[in-house]
Amino acid sequence: MSEKDGKGALEGQGKPVPGAPTNAPGSTGVEPPPPGPQKAPPKNPGFVTCTIDGKEVAARPGTNMIEAALRAGSDIPYYCYHPRLSIAANCRMCLVEVSSSPKLVPACQTPLSEGLAVKTNTGAVKDSQRSVLEFILLNHPVDCAICDQAGECKLQDYYARYDFMPARAGGPKILKEKRKVLGPMVVLDQERCILCTRCVRFMSEVAKEPQLGMFGRGSAERIDIFPGAELDSNYSGNTVDICPVGALLNRDFRFRARAWFLSEAPSICTGCSRGCNIFVDFFGQETHRYRPRENEQVNKSWMCDQGRLSYKYVNKERVHTPQLGRGSDAREATGAEALAFAARKLKAFFQRPELAVLASPVASNEDLLACLAFARDALGAKAVYVGGRPEGQADELLMTADKNPNRTGLTWIAGGLGLKLQPFSNLLEGLKNGSLQAVYAIGAELPVDIASTTDALKKADLLVVQATNHGPLTALADALLPACTHVEGEGSFANVDRIIQRFRPAYPPIGESQPHWAWASHLFRELGLTDAYGSARDVFRKLAVEVKELSNFDWDKAAPPAQPVPGLQPAPAGADGRPPGYREWGTPRVRGT
Amino acid sequence: MAKPSIPSQGPADAQLIPADSELEAHLPTKRMELNLGPSHPAMHGTVRMRVELDGETIARADPEIGFLHRGFQKSCENVTWTQCLPYTDRLNYVSALMNNFGFLNAVEKLIGLEIPDRAKFIRTIGSEIHRISDHLTCVGAIGLELGGMSAFLYCIEARELLVDRVTELTGARLTTTFGRVGGLNRDLPAGWLESVLKTLEKVEALTAEVETLLTNNRIFVDRMKGTGLITAQDALDFGFTGPCLRACGINYDVRKTKPYWIYDRINFDVPIARNGDNFDRYLMRIEEIKQSSRIVHQAIELIKPGPVIVDDWRISLPPKPEVYGTIEGVMAHFKLIMEGIQVPAGEIYDSTEAANGELGWYLVSDGSGRPYKVHVRAPGFAILSGISRMVEGRLLGDLIPTFDTINMIGGEVEQ
């Protein structure tokens, strides 16, 4: 009944009333509007109620029409609109029919008003969408085959949905600069650009570094950097993300992988302690890029370039196999061998003050929980020395000076487990003066430069190191256990603002690496203790109760969805030699295990 | 109904079978279980028949399928609609074109798409050529397995000629993958229709030769008549379609009851037999070869030049110059290849008359480029399920001819 009423009202408002004085073409607009009926009170007080494609939508005043339409199930296409940028309304892709105007209006710019009837799929709207696309494509180069954006390009998407007609105009296309390097991160193809100005607006409004501008008029119009300047902002990579077409491209990622071959996993950037939410885009067991994942609380839709490039350590110089022996004596060993050696040697230091535990705040909460519990219960440690990456630059938007993703977590966990936090300098001091002789290291990142540490570390009698990447510490390790990064494992980080965030695994651990918690679990067993964990979830469930900051965290519920849409999502068939439907979710789960 | 150990076959057959009293003695026999197949030349495809024998009489026959199972239906859910097409080749691989076109026809129905007239003609011609080819294989095999090698050679000679025409048309002898949603992927090769006419002349002559060899051959008739019987009611209950159903006297042909493509514009007869035995099923095929030839002749007369595929870039690939030369073309091509045809959400059952009967498709689309569900109603599946009824209580020697005349094709039965 109500739907029928709504429809009737919509039709009444959609048609221009003959002889209506206000908006009728040709009206002079001089005479005052005739006294209309008293304005009706809003249907839903505090909300604007309007009809979009026959469906009634109640939205808060100021809601964008595109967002409101999405809620009503109507997809309005757009290029220049971005929910976190100012409205430009220059792409004209979102033109819709509204009851208040005889002409089509841009949905992104038109405020919703009480009783407004919006139609997003009438003939006029479809004609306009098709015409807009035809204009946009008029000078677009035939580049899909060599364009990095192919597969995630809004031109392709909208063309297939709203246009799908052959080109009508022949003749030469306007040539512009094909590959202009704008800065260390970004390269511009002006021919592919549709001049939506999202990048310009992003740089001036969000990054607050207006390094990009629009130059020229008409068909010579183009996006460019100001003369003599460079797009060297730490946020320049975001312009690539928000570019709806293949005009702005990431120089680091360009020509490395095809978008449709990549799988994604929701994760957290480990470049600094902000903990920006990201997608890890990977193929096989290689990470190809980080992309920001929306989180209103942390990083909105953005991430910094430094974080964006921080994926590289996940691929490069990884410790693949366990090793025994120091320096030139180093040899590859089996996991069992290395574990037996480490356990035997560490046991000798049980409850002795000469044993130091070095924990890196790059490791996840679960890793730290398990490893520090092992250090406390099996080794009798009383203190933990804080390793991790050295301090770096900070900026005003997202990047923090602390380049470790989980310092907050380490502080909480050490506190919860009753371990005293000691600075790294104390460890060096202790090693130099001989009061410390053995080190059990969870993560091999060191906060100071190599030269000053090597001498001190060399003095240690025993170095048992669990490390993801090779470094000065792993070179001196007596027993080296390969650990996996956050991309290969699952767990959580606590960021600088004390927000705990879960991440999911992208692919199984590379080589013989295992999560830190798994090594702790093996060492527990090796020492004849019963504490053992089957998964990161298990670790959290068993140990987080001891840490009051973590105890209220719902580990399962806080996990981002493993895939954007629930259900089976087969990958493109056979294009890359994988069987159809193959997804990289690691080893398939077997019932009953 | 309890069956007697030696079944009575009605008054006409009664005189052929000696009465119990005429036999010298009853030898007590132990029941014996025999495996036919799965790998045996007489078990077309790879099907196993567990036969329980009481002397020479079949007490129980249980066809066991699954040796050729490829997961056709599930595979289709993981590929685009267009990529399903090669899988359909492998259903009834003796007449792949009919599977191709049947599947495409169902997808087009789901989209609500009318294909160009020329494409309809070519699909009809291709289907009928493959129907002849399928029937020739069946008839030849019957002859062969009853010991008549010559009939087989004649049939295969004729089929080879048709295969050559199919190769010219599609580029493949067996796995044709011909046609696309919205029409055909390519037009006829130059001079193809003329060579088809010539081929048909030869095929008709060879078929006539086979007919003279078989139809009035005493040995052949004795082995075929009255064996592999099934009643019209049983056939309907089992879901028989095609020649096997029509051999029981039921007039059902999808081309007549629900004409598609150009069948309503063509004069042809649907042969009907009465007895539902092996001989009638053989005769059906001989007659259908002639009718198919008639259809092809008429279609070749009526076919007109024109486009062979719809000109809609949501469905058909743009012409190559457009792909290489315009951004619109390359994008449409990219989207169609990478994501597939966006078939509107919905479901449909559609069928065509394939060589063995009604080839039905139940398709469900969720609006994406891949099928949500593809179910194929293979005519051979229903017919194979009736084989026990046709041979139980009969002699073992009649099993193989019966298995021949129902023309089971492993590919479509097991999918």
Side-chain angles (χ1 to χ4, degrees):
Chain A
M1 185 68 196
S2 62
E3 194 190 322
K4 198 181 160 198
D5 289 348
K7 211 171 184 185
L10 179 74
E11 273 165 12
Q13 286 164 336
K15 278 179 205 148
V17 185
T22 42
N23 283 327
S27 82
T28 55
V30 178
E31 67 259 49
Q38 197 63 41
K39 209 174 167 190
K43 201 167 174 185
N44 300 295
F47 289 86
V48 179
T49 311
C50 52
T51 326
I52 298 175
D53 287 337
K55 279 187 196 147
E56 201 175 276
V57 180
R60 290 187 187 284
T63 306
N64 195 287
M65 194 187 284
I66 291 178
E67 309 289 340
L70 208 56
R71 224 179 306 153
S74 305
D75 220 350
I76 301 176
Y78 55 85
Y79 286 114
C80 70
Y81 168 73
H82 191 284
R84 298 191 194 277
L85 299 176
S86 64
I87 300 296
N90 62 20
C91 74
R92 314 313 281 176
M93 196 62 208
C94 67
L95 292 184
V96 290
E97 221 174 274
V98 292
S99 55
S100 61
S101 161
K103 283 170 69 180
L104 301 182
V105 297
C108 66
Q109 204 184 29
T110 310
L112 289 175
S113 56
E114 186 68 26
L116 190 73
V118 183
K119 291 182 192 171
T120 70
N121 51 12
T122 61
V125 172
K126 285 179 180 166
D127 274 355
S128 130
Q129 286 165 343
R130 183 167 286 176
S131 315
V132 166
L133 276 166
E134 195 171 5
F135 269 125
I136 286 177
L137 295 175
L138 202 56
N139 283 307
H140 195 85
V142 190
D143 268 1
C144 293
I146 54 155
C147 179
D148 252 28
Q149 192 83 1
E152 48 185 11
C153 176
K154 293 248 263 174
L155 275 179
Q156 290 178 332
D157 295 350
Y158 288 166
Y159 171 77
R161 254 164 71 192
Y162 301 106
D163 187 354
F164 50 82
M165 293 302 251
R168 286 191 292 180
K173 302 201 170 199
I174 290 168
L175 302 179
K176 294 181 190 173
E177 198 156 339
K178 194 73 186 145
R179 51 190 76 77
K180 175 149 192 172
V181 175
L182 297 186
M185 190 80 170
V186 181
V187 59
L188 169 67
D189 185 330
Q190 290 176 342
E191 287 182 356
R192 292 180 193 159
C193 178
I194 60 165
L195 299 168
C196 70
T197 70
R198 271 183 174 189
C199 51
V200 177
R201 280 176 286 147
F202 171 81
M203 289 311 293
S204 56
E205 292 164 17
V206 180
K208 304 256 183 343
E209 293 169 274
Q211 293 170 335
L212 289 174
M214 292 273 283
F215 299 86
R217 296 293 287 165
S219 52
E221 200 169 10
R222 67 207 178 271
I223 302 283
D224 212 337
I225 34 179
F226 292 102
E230 201 188 9
L231 183 64
D232 56 0
S233 158
N234 192 27
Y235 291 88
S236 65
N238 292 300
T239 61
V240 178
D241 290 335
I242 58 173
C243 182
V245 299
L248 292 163
L249 292 173
N250 189 324
R251 289 176 69 192
D252 177 62
F253 178 70
R254 196 159 71 129
F255 303 144
R256 297 292 167 92
R258 277 309 202 171
W260 56 88
F261 288 153
L262 297 178
S263 308
E264 63 179 25
S267 190
I268 303 290
C269 175
T270 53
C272 75
S273 58
R274 177 69 63 194
C276 290
N277 291 218
I278 54 159
F279 284 113
V280 171
D281 281 359
F282 62 98
F283 178 64
Q285 281 185 310
E286 195 182 357
T287 300
H288 280 273
R289 63 176 173 186
Y290 284 171
R291 267 181 308 129
R293 180 161 55 95
E294 200 167 330
N295 187 333
E296 189 63 44
Q297 220 181 349
V298 180
N299 59 321
K300 309 282 192 284
S301 305
W302 322 118
M303 71 185 294
C304 71
D305 288 1
Q306 221 173 74
R308 204 178 280 272
L309 292 175
S310 71
Y311 76 89
K312 292 192 171 179
Y313 85 95
V314 172
N315 301 330
K316 268 192 198 159
E317 290 171 7
R318 289 289 302 278
V319 183
H320 282 268
T321 48
Q323 280 180 23
L324 286 177
R326 202 179 272 194
S328 55
D329 297 336
R331 62 175 179 91
E332 283 189 6
T334 62
E337 235 181 316
L339 278 170
F341 174 85
R344 196 179 69 239
K345 291 281 189 181
L346 284 173
K347 204 175 180 181
F349 285 93
F350 179 63
Q351 284 195 340
R352 277 173 56 189
E354 289 88 354
L355 175 71
V357 175
L358 171 67
S360 163
V362 178
S364 70
N365 287 330
E366 291 68 22
D367 292 340
L368 293 170
L369 278 169
C371 293
L372 294 184
F374 165 74
R376 183 191 62 178
D377 299 341
L379 305 181
K382 298 276 185 294
V384 55
Y385 295 86
V386 180
R389 302 176 186 138
E391 286 243 320
Q393 294 267 309
D395 66 24
E396 282 163 11
L397 192 51
L398 292 173
M399 196 167 69
T400 61
D402 179 7
K403 298 298 169 198
N404 300 291
N406 202 23
R407 190 175 298 277
T408 315
L410 175 58
T411 316
W412 287 347
I413 289 162
L417 297 182
L419 296 164
K420 219 172 138 238
L421 280 182
Q422 299 267 15
F424 187 71
S425 53
N426 288 11
L427 176 75
L428 290 183
E429 203 58 42
L431 285 171
K432 270 182 200 155
N433 63 27
S435 62
L436 293 173
Q437 285 165 12
V439 179
Y440 167 56
I442 307 141
E445 294 86 6
L446 299 180
V448 289
D449 64 317
I450 300 160
S452 65
T453 54
T454 311
D455 286 344
L457 291 169
K458 264 184 188 162
K459 285 195 174 167
D461 290 341
L462 176 66
L463 276 174
V464 175
V465 182
Q466 300 174 1
T468 56
N469 295 68
H470 285 291
L473 189 56
T474 58
L476 296 169
D478 296 291
L480 177 59
L481 301 170
C484 65
T485 63
H486 68 294
V487 167
E488 297 137 63
E490 62 182 333
S492 59
F493 291 127
N495 81 347
V496 67
D497 299 319
R498 307 164 71 82
I499 300 169
I500 311 168
Q501 305 191 90
R502 277 270 280 111
F503 55 88
R504 279 186 183 273
Y507 42 84
I510 60 174
E512 286 168 52
S513 64
Q514 293 189 33
H516 286 296
W517 61 258
W519 287 120
S521 185
H522 296 322
L523 286 169
F524 259 128
R525 259 196 230 113
E526 204 64 38
L527 289 172
L529 295 165
T530 49
D531 304 54
Y533 318 105
S535 62
R537 186 172 180 278
D538 202 17
V539 173
F540 198 89
R541 193 171 56 83
K542 283 182 182 156
L543 294 173
V545 285
E546 296 188 42
V547 183
K548 74 171 191 311
E549 291 89 343
L550 295 179
S551 53
N552 287 329
F553 180 67
D554 190 329
W555 205 80
D556 291 316
K557 261 198 188 152
Q563 49 193 80
V565 186
L568 198 76
Q569 290 171 353
D576 53 349
R578 297 183 295 192
Y582 177 83
R583 281 308 255 186
E584 277 146 310
W585 298 119
T587 329
R589 211 179 6 230
V590 179
R591 195 171 297 160
T593 55
Chain B
M1 186 182 80
K3 282 194 179 142
S5 59
I6 297 172
S8 153
Q9 303 210 338
D13 295 317
Q15 55 197 23
L16 300 175
I17 303 164
D20 274 358
S21 57
E22 288 176 44
L23 291 172
E24 295 284 319
H26 284 291
L27 292 175
T29 51
K30 223 170 87 180
R31 287 204 168 184
M32 179 170 78
E33 197 162 289
L34 189 71
N35 274 315
L36 278 174
S39 287
H40 189 280
M43 306 309 287
H44 308 179
T46 312
V47 64
R48 175 183 179 217
M49 185 81 87
R50 275 171 51 197
V51 191
E52 209 176 297
L53 288 176
D54 184 7
E56 285 262 332
T57 312
I58 297 168
R60 207 168 55 83
D62 179 19
E64 199 177 289
I65 61 168
F67 298 96
L68 273 183
H69 184 76
R70 309 172 303 286
F72 166 78
Q73 303 190 4
K74 201 70 196 168
S75 306
C76 285
E77 291 166 22
N78 281 322
V79 294
T80 63
W81 291 96
T82 315
Q83 285 171 320
C84 292
L85 202 56
Y87 293 146
T88 65
D89 292 339
R90 279 87 176 158
L91 292 172
N92 184 345
Y93 34 73
V94 186
S95 48
L97 281 176
M98 275 191 275
N99 311 321
N100 295 162
F101 297 154
F103 173 73
L104 295 174
N105 201 42
V107 179
E108 284 149 9
K109 269 263 180 75
L110 186 52
I111 302 176
L113 190 66
E114 186 74 9
I115 64 170
D117 221 35
R118 188 173 170 83
K120 291 181 184 172
F121 272 92
I122 298 174
R123 283 189 184 183
T124 308
I125 294 171
S127 287
E128 293 307 325
I129 285 180
H130 251 166
R131 191 187 310 279
I132 298 175
S133 181
D134 195 300
H135 287 349
L136 282 171
T137 316
C138 178
V139 168
I142 301 172
L144 176 74
E145 278 158 9
L146 291 180
M149 187 73 184
S150 343
F152 177 73
L153 288 177
Y154 282 124
C155 282
I156 295 304
E157 184 187 350
R159 188 182 82 159
E160 205 55 27
L161 292 170
L162 292 169
V163 165
D164 286 347
R165 300 294 84 75
V166 171
T167 312
E168 286 160 14
L169 180 64
T170 70
R173 282 172 56 84
L174 205 65
T175 49
T176 51
T177 317
F178 193 55
R180 295 292 179 265
V181 178
L184 300 167
N185 46 334
R186 81 181 83 136
D187 205 346
L188 300 176
W192 188 76
L193 291 174
E194 289 75 48
S195 69
V196 166
L197 286 177
K198 266 190 215 147
T199 305
L200 283 180
E201 228 169 82
K202 183 89 176 142
V203 168
E204 277 162 21
L206 286 162
T207 314
E209 198 89 22
V210 172
E211 236 189 315
T212 50
L213 277 173
L214 295 180
T215 311
N216 293 315
N217 182 327
R218 181 62 197 265
I219 304 170
F220 183 78
V221 172
D222 281 356
R223 289 296 305 278
M224 300 289 278
K225 267 209 170 146
T227 59
L229 271 168
I230 190 153
T231 64
Q233 192 53 49
D234 277 352
L236 278 176
D237 290 349
F238 274 112
F240 279 30
T241 46
C244 291
L245 181 67
R246 293 193 286 268
C248 305
I250 310 253
N251 185 357
Y252 176 73
D253 187 318
V254 184
R255 292 174 295 177
K256 286 286 188 195
T257 52
K258 183 182 70 75
Y260 50 95
W261 301 333
I262 56 161
Y263 286 111
D264 50 353
R265 294 182 237 171
I266 298 243
N267 277 325
F268 69 101
D269 299 320
V270 177
I272 308 288
R274 258 203 314 277
N275 302 324
D277 60 1
N278 283 337
F279 192 66
D280 282 4
R281 285 196 283 273
Y282 154 77
L283 284 180
M284 292 299 306
R285 293 202 159 91
I286 292 287
E287 199 51 44
E288 282 196 12
I289 290 173
K290 294 176 189 162
Q291 294 299 330
S292 289
S293 179
R294 229 176 116 192
I295 295 171
V296 176
H297 275 100
Q298 289 177 57
I300 288 177
E301 242 168 63
L302 293 172
I303 191 169
K304 299 210 170 48
V308 294
I309 190 160
V310 292
D311 185 24
D312 186 331
W313 289 6
R314 283 171 300 177
I315 288 158
S316 62
L317 289 177
K320 281 293 174 280
E322 301 274 343
V323 176
Y324 297 138
T326 68
I327 183 66
E328 285 86 351
V330 73
M331 288 199 301
H333 189 276
F334 180 90
K335 279 288 181 184
L336 279 176
I337 295 294
M338 298 303 293
E339 283 165 23
I341 299 162
Q342 309 288 310
V343 173
E347 58 175 6
I348 196 163
Y349 176 82
D350 185 51
S351 60
T352 54
E353 180 77 18
N356 283 334
E358 177 171 340
L359 177 69
W361 300 87
Y362 173 64
L363 307 177
V364 184
S365 172
D366 59 359
S368 73
R370 296 155 202 263
Y372 182 81
K373 169 80 192 161
V374 173
H375 173 85
V376 54
R377 182 221 180 271
F381 185 79
I383 298 173
L384 181 70
S385 62
I387 185 113
S388 312
R389 181 64 62 89
M390 294 155 94
V391 300
E392 272 170 15
R394 312 298 161 105
L395 293 177
L396 174 64
D398 294 333
L399 172 62
I400 296 299
T402 308
F403 198 68
D404 258 322
T405 55
I406 67 164
N407 198 23
M408 191 219 80
I409 305 288
E412 70 171 10
V413 171
E414 309 189 6
Q415 300 176 19

